[in-house]
Amino acid sequence: TALLTAAPLVAIATAQSATAVSPDIVISEVYGGGGNSGATLTNDFIELYNRGNAPVDISTWSVQYASATGTTWQRTNLTGTIPPGLSYLVQEAAGAGGTTPLPTPDATGGIAMSATAGKVALVTNQTPLTCGADCDTAAGVRDFVGYGSTANDFETAPAPGLSNTTSASRDSVGTDTDNNSVDFAAGAPNPQNCGEPCAPPPPPVKTINEIQGAAHLSPLDGLAVADVHGIVTAKRNNGFWMQDPAPDADPATSDGLFVFTSSTPTVNVGDDVLVDGTVAEFRPGNDPVNLTTTELTAPHVTVQATGVTLPVTLVGPGGRTAPTMVIEDDATGDVETSGTFDPATDGIDFYESLEGMRLELRNAVAVGPRSGFGEIPVLPGGGAGASVRTNRGGILLRSNDTNPERIHLDDVLAPTPVMDVGDTIPGSLFGVLDYSFGNFKLLVTSAPTAQRNGLAREVTATGSHKELAIATFNMENLSSVDPPSKFDELAQIIVTNLGSPGIIVAEEIQDNDGPANTAVVAADQTFARLIASISAVGGPTYDWRSIDPVDDADGGQPGGNIRVGFLFRTDNPDLQFVDRPGGGSTTSVGVVKVAGQVQLTSSPGRIDPTNTAFDNSRKPLAAEFVFRGKTVFVVANHWNSKGGDNPLFGRFQPPVAVTETQRAQQATAVAGFVNNVFGLAPNANVVVAGDLNDFDYSAAVGIVSATGMLDLPSTLPDGERYTYDFEGNSQVLDHILISPAIAARGFAYDVVHVNSEFADQASDHEPQVARVKTK
């Protein structure tokens, strides 16, 4: 319930058109001040009235509410029949104030309405409205009230503005002229109910598959049902799952269902139960990009028998098999209202058809490591039929293949084992299928035992002294306050696995006090600790260069001030860093020709740091090196992350990648710098490296490649083309691009797999090394 506050007046340009006068049911009273300070009543309410001459069945109707200018409609489903001349009371949300409860309501919802201004619709269906300021004329709207001067939708003119102590109500006979300002008056709330004449008929007996339906939303959402038969297959602290022992023949309708008890359930696994309750759709985390899960709420449970054999459905070879390429290809927008449902071809529909069911997987193989949340992405059947598999046991994300055959094990009900990519769980494992955080999850019901297959961490080949080894490495929020173990692990990777490259493009270097949100932006202590750790494990001496960001301007962990920088060896006389003053956090580096030689105006120097493309994101850093007498320009990058994009198994399909636009803008700025270099020196040695946070086939990477730069991940065969493992999808996020002059001399390139495939990792990204010649 909204507190009564003063709201600015909004000018209404033209009156809204009105719907036809209702012949029977109208909205007769609206009150949004329930439970507020100074209010008497504890709850908001909406009252209906039958002004007609015959009873009206409203069991498929709803009342819906949106804020005065809102476009998101909340819904309360209705039941029963309203005889002529009687009112029907819908109780909505309660506030913290008020002393008088409403009369016994005929329907109950949880909508918190504004005390001053808003919009209420009476709708002859139970589908949420999607209209904006013209809902009074939308299909299915039987009556409509906009109240308060700021309401942007109403019949002819809005009803009066209200308060914590006033409601808007019609006269005693429900006069309806389709003019809210004429039909409604403000006064003391007077809620009236219908009582027994409006009581709904006994709830119907339904099966689980009838409740689930062949869709993402239950066709019975909001309705009371009785004697739903199931066998309890799993339980948690607020409910239990049950499955129909006699399923129907339609694979599109799930035979499993969650029963929400709100406290620890009293049933046991193996109980044969009948459940009365109300069908509801629960959206995990109330996150609009998540799918809902169907459940029964306010249940009454009757145990008929105990110790019953549990039903199970095999998923994988020999059983139900998931699509192997497509998550969703025929819905546009909200899959829950798309009207399409194809479990045989669409992965998101396939798993929906198994929601809540007890599943069996045999010989599962991990395609991602166990996460800190206890989740493990696996393929059933040892990965039979899945493609394209990586050389080390993962599965490759491609532009046309999002790998819906992956399924995530989760430790909500029982522990999951530590697993790396390629580890297996021999034999059978069992769990119930749930959904949360944008993914379907198999909640294992007993702890599986993993067979560890000893995946080795790679060591790159060494090159000749004539080659310059350039690496890129995202060090995952490294700061001087991290424990010595993290510095030691990173140093060991640099020395042992990367072969102590001449230049390291480093990403996610935090300031000296790490995530503490202070005014500190310097990272000299962080770099110094890393360099000392490299020496301590037997590596060469490195130096570093970077430019401190403006405090809290570069995104990442709040207070961390992550930035990119360069480490370079000082023991190789063939390699020198060219220091040229003038660089700064907001100063843009340029390219000039001096005495016939192309050089940077500052080294290091930031590329276009005030460009809005880099708002709340890392600024690229350019540096000038000399190797064996030849100039090499290296650009360090850490582009905008994918955080905020829709998940692959999210509600909206195809997933909306909202972050792509900014990365394309960042790529354009970097490409402009590269073109400036080539404009003065077409055969320049240029390397663009870093965590670009986008795929090898992405538009952003293509913008830089269009300058003539060669993206080295694209030169790898599919089985080796990945630098990151996200939710079991092996993919390219980190890149090294080289100029045509470098490419023409020949190069060696290696993604060194030491992190992303392992549960124990120093960083979540793989480092890469390119060995190039400058002459």
Side-chain angles (χ1 to χ4, degrees), residues 279-320:
V279 180
E281 292 289 346
F282 171 72
R283 197 173 302 283
N286 202 29
D287 187 336
V289 303
N290 280 334
L291 296 173
T292 62
T293 55
T294 306
E295 59 185 29
L296 286 181
T297 62
H300 177 269
V301 182
T302 302
V303 177
Q304 301 187 112
T306 61
V308 177
T309 300
L310 303 184
V312 67
T313 297
L314 176 65
V315 171
R320 294 277 306 273

Side-chain angles (χ1 to χ4, degrees), residues 415-428:
T416 52
V418 174
M419 297 182 75
D420 299 331
V421 168
D423 291 348
T424 59
I425 300 175
S428 294

Side-chain angles (χ1 to χ4, degrees), residues 28 44-50 58-59 61 63 76-83 86-92 102-109 191-201 222 224:
S28 53
D44 297 348
F45 69 85
I46 300 167
E47 183 187 286
L48 309 179
Y49 180 76
N50 186 351
I58 59 169
S59 57
W61 293 25
V63 289
T76 299
N77 292 339
L78 307 178
T79 59
T81 298
I82 308 178
L86 289 181
S87 298
Y88 181 102
L89 184 62
V90 184
Q91 175 176 288
E92 297 295 0
L102 301 182
T104 302
D106 302 298
T108 301
Q192 300 182 58
N193 65 357
C194 180
E196 192 166 330
C198 289

Side-chain angles (χ1 to χ4, degrees), residues 245-617:
D248 67 357
D250 185 358
T253 58
S254 171
D255 299 309
L257 187 65
F258 183 68
V259 179
F260 178 68
T261 57
S262 76
S263 59
T264 303
T266 58
V267 298
N268 295 306
V269 172
D271 285 354
D272 183 314
V273 297
L274 293 175
V275 182
D276 301 339
T278 300
V279 180
E281 292 289 346
F282 171 72
R283 197 173 302 283
N286 202 29
D287 187 336
V289 303
N290 280 334
L291 296 173
T292 62
T293 55
T294 306
E295 59 185 29
L296 286 181
T297 62
H300 177 269
V301 182
T302 302
V303 177
Q304 301 187 112
T306 61
V308 177
T309 300
L310 303 184
V312 67
T313 297
L314 176 65
V315 171
R320 294 277 306 273
T321 56
T324 59
M325 293 184 69
V326 174
I327 288 180
E328 175 59 74
D329 65 355
D330 52 5
T332 301
D334 187 347
V335 297
E336 294 176 347
T337 58
S338 68
T340 65
F341 195 74
D342 304 301
T345 59
D346 294 354
I348 197 169
D349 299 340
F350 172 81
Y351 291 110
E352 177 71 28
S353 74
L354 298 169
E355 178 191 274
M357 291 177 61
R358 182 172 182 260
L359 305 181
E360 176 187 3
L361 304 185
R362 295 175 185 165
N363 302 319
V365 58
V367 291
R370 183 186 188 271
S371 74
F373 300 103
E375 299 172 2
I376 310 167
V378 302
L379 301 174
S387 66
V388 169
R389 302 295 299 281
T390 70
N391 294 351
R392 292 163 59 84
I395 188 166
L396 186 71
L397 177 71
R398 297 179 291 166
S399 61
N400 64 342
D401 186 356
T402 45
N403 300 316
E405 60 266 53
R406 295 167 298 121
I407 187 169
H408 296 260
L409 309 183
D410 203 329
D411 66 349
V412 170
L413 304 179
T416 52
V418 174
M419 297 182 75
D420 299 331
V421 168
D423 291 348
T424 59
I425 300 175
S428 294
L429 64 88
F430 300 90
V432 290
L433 190 67
D434 196 28
Y435 180 95
S436 61
F437 295 102
N439 270 306
F440 289 93
K441 312 282 182 64
L442 187 68
L443 313 184
V444 297
T445 48
S446 60
T449 300
Q451 177 176 300
R452 306 300 300 276
N453 291 329
L455 186 70
R457 299 181 196 270
E458 289 187 336
V459 175
T460 195
T462 57
S464 78
H465 71 282
K466 296 181 180 181
E467 294 175 323
L468 173 61
I470 303 175
T472 179
F473 197 174
N474 182 317
M475 299 187 184
E476 195 177 13
N477 290 319
L478 181 68
S479 79
S480 63
V481 300
D482 280 325
S485 58
K486 179 163 185 177
F487 283 92
D488 292 344
E489 289 172 359
L490 292 171
Q492 197 67 59
I493 289 171
I494 289 169
V495 174
T496 301
N497 303 89
L498 303 186
S500 301
I503 300 171
I504 302 172
V505 172
E507 301 95 50
E508 290 201 22
I509 302 294
Q510 289 194 344
D511 61 31
N512 291 332
D513 62 1
N517 201 351
T518 66
V520 173
V521 293
D524 55 313
Q525 296 172 24
T526 305
F527 279 108
R529 281 195 63 188
L530 179 59
I531 289 170
S533 296
I534 293 171
S535 295
V537 299
T541 300
Y542 280 84
D543 201 352
W544 66 277
R545 297 291 186 274
S546 185
I547 292 178
D548 295 335
V550 175
D551 191 25
D552 295 332
D554 280 21
Q557 189 175 22
N561 286 313
I562 57 174
R563 81 288 311 276
V564 296
F566 299 99
L567 298 174
F568 55 93
R569 289 178 62 161
T570 60
D571 64 329
N572 184 353
D574 285 338
L575 176 65
Q576 297 90 39
F577 188 94
V578 177
D579 283 299
R580 189 170 293 116
S585 58
T586 59
T587 303
S588 185
V589 66
V591 185
V592 294
K593 184 174 281 190
V594 178
Q597 297 296 315
V598 176
Q599 64 183 45
L600 302 182
T601 55
S602 61
S603 177
R606 289 180 134 193
I607 295 175
D608 208 1
T610 60
N611 187 331
T612 56
F614 299 109
D615 285 355
N616 201 38
S617 185

